[in-house]
Amino acid sequence: MKRIVFLDYVRVFACFLVMLVHASENFYGAPGSTDMAGPQSLLANETDRLWVSLYDGFSRMSVPLFIIVSAFLLVPMKEEQTTMQFYSKRFKRILPPMFFFMVLYSVLPLLWGQIDVATSVNDLSRILLNFPTLAGHLWFMYPLIGLYLFIPMISPWLRKASAKEERFFILLFLVSTCIPYLNRWCGEVWGQCFWNEYHLLWYFSGYLGYIVLAHYIRVHLDWSRARRMAVGTVSMLVGAALTIYSFYVQAVPGIIHTTPVLEIGWAFCTINCVLLTAGTFLMFTCINAEKSPRIIEDMSKLSYGMYLMHIFWLGLWVTVFKVSLGLPTAAAIPAIAISTFVSCYVTTKLISFIPGSRWMIG
């Protein structure tokens, strides 16, 4: 299958943004938190407030971009392919590396004292139930697996749906992305109450909206390159401004914040994040090169393994740039992210030479 050049760029960009997010989280986690933000957040000063808002806020398109790339390539499922064939192909690629790294995150931190034996044993015993204590980034695997499970169900509709019908679905999805704000300002809406979370637009909400959006862009959007660039740029800038501001306006330094409240605008299925993601993706579609540079294609192929392992490297570079060197926040966050990214690329590249490495890094 011929590679789609712009998707290689998107995948590499999204992979780096994930690391930029987690680098930023080391500057607002409350005392005692790990390399990622915990239930509570604390900004030390105005400088951290500004740079965390900018770096982390802009990077919140990372997860939706990964979903859109997957949907762009896989949806709808090939007509000649059975559901079980689809599941077998997808899950053979993602599940062995996922479980391999879940074991590593449950065991290796014992070597440097980050967890104790009891935590390690508990993490290992719960591998079939959830991600290990120090592998919070693996939360993403569960919605991704859920979307893969659902692709054979939605594929027949997408093959037959008109552009107008898909636009109607996307409209309802966009309205659903406003519900977190409606809940904050107006309380429970559209059937929500303490015993019912399934609101009116529940079945049009969540990451499924990105699946339909990706299909619509690929199949129905016939805009010129100039128009995609113009609309994409405006959408990206508006979405970025709203996403960054939503955090900055709340992140008062010196006060303990409840993280989900502080990050309300950073949730991946909010209207501002959709604007940020869709706009950026449209901009990437304007890349019309015949072939990706070798380094980009290589990083794209290795991005899954890089994502899986990056928390191992992240802690080291946080120690170097934040603790040992004490770089200013504006420089420390990108330094941590870039060093983590390069370290992960080199490591996955070396692992890729081992026979059977696909079972470890995909």
Side-chain angles (χ1 to χ4, degrees):
M1 180 179 177
K2 185 179 178 182
R3 298 191 70 84
I4 301 174
V5 172
F6 83 87
L7 292 182
D8 282 334
Y9 283 95
V10 176
R11 195 180 282 114
V12 172
F13 182 62
C15 186
F16 174 72
L17 291 184
V18 168
M19 299 178 195
L20 193 59
V21 165
H22 293 151
S24 302
E25 288 185 0
N26 283 271
F27 292 82
Y28 70 95
S33 64
T34 63
D35 292 328
M36 290 185 285
Q40 294 184 319
S41 297
L42 175 66
L43 279 298
N45 50 57
E46 287 291 343
T47 299
D48 285 2
R49 179 189 191 185
L50 172 63
W51 291 108
V52 167
S53 299
L54 288 171
Y55 287 132
D56 205 336
F58 179 77
S59 301
R60 288 291 161 156
M61 68 177 99
S62 53
V63 165
L65 282 175
F66 274 127
I67 292 172
I68 287 181
V69 168
S70 292
F72 202 90
L73 292 169
L74 301 175
V75 178
M77 184 180 75
K78 297 175 182 177
E79 288 193 77
E80 68 273 14
Q81 193 175 36
T82 68
T83 297
M84 288 301 117
Q85 287 172 336
F86 177 82
Y87 288 162
S88 176
K89 185 174 182 179
R90 300 319 308 166
F91 294 143
K92 280 181 180 177
R93 180 178 183 271
I94 67 169
L95 291 183
M98 171 186 167
F99 284 111
F100 175 72
F101 271 92
M102 289 176 81
V103 172
L104 293 184
Y105 280 109
S106 299
V107 174
L108 288 186
L110 276 172
L111 301 179
W112 49 84
Q114 198 171 5
I115 59 174
D116 55 25
V117 173
T119 301
S120 176
V121 171
N122 183 65
D123 285 346
L124 288 169
S125 71
R126 289 177 52 82
I127 275 181
L128 294 179
L129 298 175
N130 216 337
F131 51 81
T133 303
L134 297 181
H137 65 298
L138 295 184
W139 73 268
F140 170 65
M141 296 306 302
Y142 299 91
L144 180 66
I145 291 168
L147 289 172
Y148 282 171
L149 289 171
F150 199 71
I151 283 175
M153 318 303 167
I154 199 174
S155 289
W157 177 71
L158 286 173
R159 287 193 202 101
K160 297 178 180 179
S162 66
K164 184 177 181 179
E165 289 169 333
E166 288 192 39
R167 283 197 299 270
F168 180 64
F169 186 104
I170 292 168
L171 173 63
L172 295 179
F173 165 62
L174 292 176
V175 175
S176 79
T177 63
C178 299
I179 287 180
Y181 300 114
L182 290 175
N183 288 154
R184 174 170 291 192
W185 300 328
C186 307
E188 295 166 333
V189 297
W190 300 333
Q192 291 174 317
C193 54
F194 75 92
W195 47 265
N196 177 54
E197 60 184 309
Y198 304 102
H199 53 75
L200 172 69
L201 296 178
W202 180 271
Y203 303 104
F204 296 89
S205 63
Y207 299 108
L208 182 60
Y210 286 110
I211 296 286
V212 179
L213 180 62
H215 182 267
Y216 182 84
I217 291 172
R218 182 171 69 83
V219 175
H220 298 297
L221 197 69
D222 57 358
W223 290 351
S224 67
R225 184 169 178 268
R227 187 177 182 187
R228 278 181 283 134
M229 178 58 76
V231 174
T233 301
V234 172
S235 178
M236 183 273 289
L237 290 174
V238 171
L242 293 173
T243 306
I244 291 166
Y245 178 76
S246 70
F247 184 91
Y248 182 83
V249 73
Q250 300 178 92
V252 179
I255 297 176
I256 295 290
H257 299 275
T258 301
T259 302
V261 174
L262 182 63
E263 292 186 349
I264 184 173
W266 285 4
F268 302 114
C269 294
T270 50
I271 184 66
N272 48 283
C273 198
V274 175
L275 288 172
L276 174 60
T277 304
T280 302
F281 188 77
L282 283 177
M283 293 169 69
F284 272 104
T285 65
C286 296
I287 297 173
N288 55 10
E290 290 292 324
K291 184 174 175 56
S292 304
R294 185 173 179 179
I295 185 87
I296 295 295
E297 183 175 330
D298 208 31
M299 287 178 174
S300 177
K301 291 177 179 178
L302 296 172
S303 60
Y304 182 45
M306 293 169 65
Y307 155 76
L308 289 172
M309 75 170 58
H310 79 275
I311 296 299
F312 282 133
W313 282 108
L314 185 79
L316 169 65
W317 294 117
V318 168
T319 300
V320 171
F321 293 113
K322 181 184 179 183
V323 180
S324 299
L325 298 179
L327 292 186
T329 306
I333 291 175
I336 293 166
I338 292 168
S339 300
T340 301
F341 186 86
V342 172
S343 300
C344 290
Y345 171 65
V346 172
T347 307
T348 50
K349 185 64 178 178
L350 292 174
I351 293 174
S352 71
F353 294 118
I354 300 173
S357 61
R358 70 188 186 94
W359 300 108
M360 294 182 281
I361 57 173

